[in-house]
Amino acid sequence: IPEKYMEDFKKYISSFASVSVRESSGAELVEKITGEKCENTVDPTLLFDKNFWNDFAFTERLVKEPYIFCYFLGGTEIHKKAIEKIEKTLGKKIVFSPFNTAINNLNTGEKIYADIKEFLTLVRDADFVITDSFHGMAFSVNFRKSFAVVKRSDTDKGKHTRVKDFLAKIGLEDRVITDENLKDFSFSEVNYE
C-alpha cells in the first residue's frame, strides 16, 4: 500500500465491522495497519468442490487425446522455456488457452480461446496443468490435477503472494517454477492424500 494512501486505508478499513482477505500475508498487513483482527479466508472458487464446478463444465472432453493444459496470463522467456521442458518431459500434446501474444504466437500446441465452461472442462480433463494464474492453480487443486505454477516476472511481486500463501497452506510450495529451478523441475504427479 503506497504510503500516501496509508491513513485513508487505515481509516476506511477500520470502519468495517469485520474484514477478511484471501491471503495470510494480506491479513497480517491489515492487522498491522489497523490494529484490528483480520480473518484469512479461502478464495471463493475454493468454497465449492469439484462436483459443483463439474456441473459448469461440458460432459464430453474437448480434447480426445492426453494433453497438458497451459493457461498463462503472462508470456515471458520462463513461460516459453517451461512449455518446451514440459512438452519434452511428459511427451503429451500441448493445449493453450492464451491471453498473451507471445504465447499465442508459439508454433506448438492447439489453441482454444476458452469461455468459462471450456476452461473448466480443459482443466478437469488435463493430464497436467501448467499456469501462472492463481485461478488456474486453484481449479487444478479443486479438480485434483497435477500442476505447476510459473512465477511471473512480468508483474509486481505482490501478484504472486496469493499463489505462495495458498501453496504453503496445502504443503505444495514445490510446485512453483522459477528461472532458478526450471532446469531441475520434475513435473511430478501431485499426491493429494
Side-chain angles (χ1 to χ4, degrees):
I1 300 168
E3 190 62 40
K4 65 182 180 179
Y5 300 122
M6 198 63 74
E7 282 306 311
D8 285 339
F9 181 84
K10 181 178 180 177
K11 174 182 161 187
Y12 293 120
I13 290 295
S14 295
S15 71
F16 290 119
S18 64
V19 177
S20 65
V21 296
R22 294 181 291 193
E23 296 81 30
S24 57
S25 56
E28 291 170 13
L29 180 64
V30 169
E31 288 179 13
K32 179 181 171 188
I33 293 169
T34 65
E36 302 289 327
K37 178 76 175 143
C38 180
E39 293 297 325
N40 178 218
T41 59
V42 298
D43 185 84
T45 60
L46 297 166
L47 293 175
F48 299 100
D49 67 11
K50 66 182 179 179
N51 296 323
F52 174 87
W53 292 113
N54 198 43
D55 287 344
F56 289 93
F58 287 108
T59 306
E60 300 293 321
R61 291 175 63 102
L62 297 176
V63 179
K64 301 304 178 204
E65 61 265 54
Y67 66 93
I68 300 160
F69 182 48
C70 299
Y71 179 68
F72 294 128
L73 303 178
T76 62
E77 203 55 38
I78 183 86
H79 291 84
K80 294 174 194 172
K81 288 177 182 176
I83 292 166
E84 287 174 15
K85 179 157 185 194
I86 195 170
E87 191 171 27
K88 286 178 188 169
T89 303
L90 299 184
K92 296 182 185 200
K93 177 179 183 164
I94 298 288
V95 175
F96 296 100
S97 185
F99 274 87
N100 186 287
T101 306
I103 299 299
N104 196 29
N105 291 336
L106 290 176
N107 291 324
T108 189
E110 178 182 345
K111 282 127 182 123
I112 299 175
Y113 299 89
D115 61 20
I116 188 63
K117 194 173 184 82
E118 292 164 323
F119 170 77
L120 291 169
T121 305
L122 288 166
V123 172
R124 180 198 66 202
D125 296 337
D127 291 273
F128 198 98
V129 176
I130 183 167
T131 187
D132 64 1
S133 153
F134 175 84
H135 289 103
M137 175 199 60
F139 282 110
S140 295
V141 170
N142 217 328
F143 282 117
R144 302 297 190 253
K145 296 282 133 182
S146 291
F147 70 94
V149 180
V150 174
K151 183 176 181 186
R152 290 177 61 193
S153 59
D154 59 337
T155 186
D156 66 79
K157 71 176 189 172
K159 297 273 186 190
H160 189 71
T161 304
R162 279 194 290 177
V163 170
K164 183 180 168 196
D165 287 353
F166 179 68
L167 290 176
K169 279 185 180 177
I170 62 173
L172 292 176
E173 300 97 317
D174 65 337
R175 306 312 296 184
V176 177
I177 297 173
T178 63
D179 285 316
E180 294 77 26
N181 73 1
L182 177 60
K183 184 178 177 232
D184 299 319
F185 200 87
S186 69
F187 299 103
S188 60
E189 294 288 315
V190 173
N191 177 357
Y192 281 102
E193 293 305 314

